[in-house]
Amino acid sequence: MNKIEHIGIAVKDLEVSNELFEKLLGVPNYKMEEVLSEGVNTSFFKSGPNKIELLAATSAASPIAKYIEKRGEGVHHIAFAVDDIVAEIKRLKKEGFQVLNETPKKGADNKLVAFVHPKTANGVLVELCQEAPA
Ligand code: ZN
């Protein structure tokens, strides 16, 4: 795996949190994007070399809605950049990790993504992401 691509934070209200993170980081978000497959609205911030993704549910069935119901707002996942997501999924499965989607799916920000179940990673939801071919 390469660098941390971004950190995902689950929030209840994207507008409120956009203002909060703009104050915190000193920069406005540079992009908002709805990810239909995940039932979320996302908002992205860059701060120095770092990227933060805010995620808010668009429906009660969204994984983010369920997450907030159980655990409240907060750090939701850590995303690592990978060069070859298919090879990385294969490697992690061989190492005994449970990969939630074995076929990479389209995530926000033009990425192919896959998630590792937190129960097999010390409670951390790990996202793999690879720049999607243009
Ligand atoms: Zn993410």
Side-chain angles (χ1 to χ4, degrees):
M1 290 193 210
N2 303 330
K3 66 164 189 171
I4 289 180
E5 214 285 327
H6 62 270
I7 293 176
I9 297 173
V11 304
K12 282 184 188 159
D13 184 322
L14 206 50
E15 263 177 56
V16 170
S17 294
N18 271 340
E19 275 178 36
L20 182 75
F21 275 80
E22 180 169 344
K23 276 186 213 158
L24 180 73
L25 301 171
V27 287
N29 70 339
Y30 66 91
K31 165 152 126 172
M32 287 181 73
E33 185 180 344
E34 183 172 5
V35 184
L36 288 171
S37 63
E38 298 291 315
V40 295
N41 264 322
T42 62
S43 175
F44 287 92
F45 290 80
K46 262 181 204 140
S47 173
N50 305 304
K51 192 162 128 188
I52 301 287
E53 173 186 35
L54 303 182
L55 305 119
T58 53
S59 81
S62 162
I64 294 297
K66 288 174 190 155
Y67 180 89
I68 287 177
E69 199 175 293
K70 254 196 247 168
R71 302 171 69 171
E73 294 177 294
V75 173
H76 177 257
H77 64 269
I78 297 177
F80 291 91
V82 298
D83 295 324
D84 182 343
I85 195 166
V86 172
E88 201 62 26
I89 289 169
K90 216 181 267 176
R91 184 184 74 81
L92 290 173
K93 280 179 65 187
K94 217 164 122 193
E95 294 286 2
F97 293 97
Q98 186 188 333
V99 178
L100 288 168
N101 55 300
E102 297 190 8
T103 308
K105 56 186 174 184
K106 202 159 165 359
D109 209 18
N110 195 39
K111 300 280 193 295
L112 288 172
V113 302
F115 289 92
V116 176
H117 199 296
K119 81 177 178 199
T120 60
N122 279 167
V124 179
L125 177 61
V126 174
E127 176 182 354
L128 309 175
C129 55
Q130 179 189 337
E131 203 70 44

